[in-house]
Amino acid sequence: MIDLNTMVDPDRGWNDPRIYTDQDLYERELEHVFGRTWLFLAHDSQLPKPGSFIQTYMAEDPVLVVRQRDGSVKAFLNQCRHRGMRICRTDAGTSKTFTCTYHGWAYDLAGNLINVPLEEQAYRNEIDKSEWGALKVPRIANYRGFHFGTWSEETPEFEDYLGDMAFYFDAVVDRFDGGLELAPGTTKWVIDCNWKFAAEQFASDMYHAPVSHASAMMALTEDPNASGGQTDPNIPGRQFGGNGHGSGGFFKPEAVMKAPYFGDATYEWLRTKEDEHRQRLGPERVLKVDNHNTIFPNFSWLALGLSTMRVWHPRGPGQVEVWAWSYLPKDAPDEVKAEMRKMTQRTFSPAGSFETDDGENWTEIQQVLRGHKARTSRFHTGMGLGYEETDVHGLPGTSNYVYAEHAARGFYRRWSDLVTGTPWAQIQKPNRASEAADAALTDKA
Ligand code: FES
Ligand SMILES: [Fe+2]
């Protein structure tokens, strides 16, 4: 197995590519990264009334997320405690109880075992049902209607976990008086690549856009000179990175820009909301925070207009299952919602012109990493290294120029801290990864 102390070096700017292929390391990720971080479960709009439920995953673990009678949200492992069958096999719906289709054990909305068929004859009334409820997700945080869960008691409270990223998350989730909703249904697809390529790119990588998305941008704008991102060095932009999270984009001269991502109806309606946005977010933030984002480890979204929000569910070191939604302003007219959904589908859906560009890159890399030499030659992650600044341009936290790998380095630093099993209480301690790399280099000398 790869040496856990020398997998990544965010202080010098390199990664060992085996972090994307190693099966043993993947098992550690499931336990130490996904088992100890806040993972997105559901949005309020997906659980409209008591008994509403959806099935989702926390990494590879299937979970049921359920609206309780008191309005709270609970989640539990979607696994029957009798012999391990999935308790509920429906993607989403409303129910009063969940009955396992194998032998019929039944659970209530909180996952408590409430009925066992033939309890008297088969179990002689000796089974203690209170001991055999579904495994509960012990902690759930509701952040502006977005519910996140963690298995771990040691993970910091969700707002501390977000840190400065809250400012960037709020730029989308706190933008509208009426809040957001996720369009009904989940778009799901599988990409043959490691989950980190996707999560890291959404945290950090604007650099690929002018190259990878050049043709998609030309098609979208009908402009033969268009590129997939602004290349004019005079247009400022920033990339925030902190606590493993990342956010970035170019600054805009106006909060709502005509095209390329807004249809006419959307543009006109958003113009009427500009004051509301300025009031809620402040005049700076509406112009400066946008575009690509990841909350560590695997929850990402893109700017309003592209309106995609997704979870990268890991499926082994070489595969990721994407679950994506169009996020929409709840109080937008139907015509605007329909137009936004179309734009998400056109750009960032399994057949979307931009999405397919991204997937092509990631699957190619994963293919190349089948090679032994390819897998053991370091990757460069040093763009903008040393050019971080704190609290500049009215943006909280540490940021860098928009074309940088600042957030990527932070992503891998947090990932490496977690995957090595470091307790949360020590994780904020700086420079541990570089100390380990130094030690390794000294050993070789
Ligand atoms: S596995 Fe669920 S009742 Fe037997
Ligand atoms: Fe992209």
Side-chain angles (χ1 to χ4, degrees):
M1 186 172 137
I2 180 171
D3 180 348
L4 289 181
N5 293 313
T6 54
M7 297 179 295
V8 299
D9 189 344
D11 293 320
R12 289 189 180 74
W14 55 259
N15 283 355
D16 181 328
R18 287 173 295 182
I19 64 171
Y20 306 110
T21 61
D22 191 291
Q23 183 68 42
D24 293 337
L25 188 62
Y26 178 72
E27 297 300 327
R28 289 192 69 94
E29 283 184 331
L30 293 184
E31 181 180 354
H32 296 287
V33 178
F34 293 100
R36 297 199 295 150
T37 46
W38 286 101
L39 304 177
F40 176 66
L41 297 175
H43 182 255
D44 266 344
S45 56
Q46 296 174 294
L47 302 167
K49 55 184 182 204
S52 296
F53 69 88
I54 60 156
Q55 274 204 58
T56 184
Y57 286 88
M58 294 171 76
E60 300 248 29
D61 283 310
V63 290
L64 267 179
V65 189
V66 190
R67 178 78 69 189
Q68 306 297 298
R69 289 198 171 82
D70 67 1
S72 67
V73 168
K74 286 191 170 33
F76 50 89
L77 196 64
N78 189 7
Q79 180 195 37
C80 179
R81 292 295 300 283
H82 177 223
R83 297 308 245 233
M85 179 60 176
R86 210 179 274 265
I87 296 169
C88 172
R89 299 169 70 190
T90 311
D91 286 345
T94 309
S95 192
K96 291 194 171 94
T97 53
F98 300 100
T99 304
C100 176
T101 53
Y102 196 173
H103 312 92
W105 282 25
Y107 301 81
D108 70 8
L109 296 180
N112 302 308
L113 180 63
I114 51 168
N115 190 51
V116 171
L118 304 175
E119 192 169 348
E120 195 183 330
Q121 300 92 323
Y123 289 96
R124 311 293 198 276
N125 280 331
E126 286 169 2
I127 183 167
D128 179 358
K129 293 202 288 296
S130 70
E131 289 267 311
W132 294 96
L135 190 70
K136 312 270 166 46
V137 178
R139 297 170 67 200
I140 294 183
N142 176 359
Y143 188 86
R144 302 192 192 285
F146 287 76
H147 299 271
F148 291 77
T150 181
W151 296 109
S152 164
E153 296 291 353
E154 58 147 0
T155 309
E157 292 299 327
F158 185 71
E159 298 212 4
D160 297 332
Y161 178 89
L162 272 186
D164 290 318
M165 186 66 191
F167 177 89
Y168 302 86
F169 192 26
D170 285 350
V172 62
V173 300
D174 198 30
R175 198 177 193 93
F176 293 91
D177 286 348
L180 296 181
E181 65 185 21
L182 300 187
T186 304
T187 308
K188 303 173 185 174
W189 69 100
V190 167
I191 307 175
D192 288 328
C193 73
N194 188 274
W195 67 274
K196 293 189 287 300
F197 288 126
E200 177 222 305
Q201 189 198 280
F202 273 61
S204 183
D205 191 340
M206 271 301 272
Y207 186 54
H208 78 287
V211 178
S212 288
H213 298 310
S215 57
M217 202 58 156
M218 284 179 212
L220 188 69
T221 59
E222 297 176 21
D223 173 0
N225 298 315
S227 75
Q230 279 146 314
T231 46
D232 181 346
N234 298 316
I235 300 176
R238 293 303 283 179
Q239 175 183 115
F240 158 81
N243 287 355
H245 319 303
S247 174
F250 289 97
F251 299 165
K252 299 176 295 183
E254 294 169 84
V256 182
M257 308 264 291
K258 183 105 177 113
Y261 303 130
F262 296 135
D264 291 342
T266 308
Y267 175 71
E268 294 304 335
W269 182 75
L270 283 173
R271 287 290 301 274
T272 70
K273 294 279 165 187
E274 277 191 72
D275 283 346
E276 181 180 312
H277 295 171
R278 254 191 296 273
Q279 242 158 33
R280 297 186 70 86
L281 303 179
E284 296 279 291
R285 186 159 36 165
V286 292
L287 302 176
K288 292 181 178 171
V289 178
D290 210 346
N291 220 318
H292 61 80
N293 307 267
T294 292
I295 290 179
F296 188 91
N298 64 339
F299 179 62
S300 301
W301 69 95
L302 296 176
L304 188 71
L306 299 168
S307 291
T308 181
M309 217 164 237
R310 71 261 308 272
V311 175
W312 315 101
H313 294 299
R315 294 291 179 264
Q319 208 168 60
V320 64
E321 192 170 314
V322 192
W323 283 34
W325 306 271
S326 245
Y327 68 84
L328 307 167
K330 207 170 176 177
D331 56 3
D334 288 347
E335 186 194 3
V336 169
K337 289 184 186 176
E339 205 173 67
M340 282 188 172
R341 292 181 70 172
K342 251 186 234 156
M343 190 51 90
T344 309
Q345 284 158 18
R346 206 173 282 158
T347 53
F348 285 92
S349 72
S353 46
F354 290 73
E355 189 80 53
T356 43
D357 294 335
D358 290 329
E360 180 77 9
N361 289 328
W362 304 330
T363 50
E364 272 297 312
I365 300 166
Q366 200 74 35
Q367 280 287 321
V368 170
L369 291 181
R370 295 172 70 95
H372 175 74
K373 289 289 180 197
R375 223 182 305 148
T376 46
S377 310
R378 284 174 178 173
F379 286 177
H380 189 266
T381 61
M383 197 193 310
L385 188 61
Y387 293 90
E388 299 80 16
E389 290 173 281
T390 301
D391 296 331
V392 291
H393 300 281
L395 301 172
T398 306
S399 64
N400 207 310
Y401 180 52
V402 63
Y403 290 141
E405 282 155 344
H406 165 62
R409 288 187 290 275
F411 176 92
Y412 288 110
R413 187 189 302 280
R414 178 52 52 91
W415 171 84
S416 129
D417 282 344
L418 285 164
V419 85
T420 51
T422 309
W424 266 106
Q426 287 173 32
I427 275 178
Q428 305 295 351
K429 201 177 146 204
N431 295 327
R432 274 186 340 89
S434 68
E435 281 164 22
D438 276 340
L441 288 173
T442 318
D443 288 345
K444 272 181 208 139

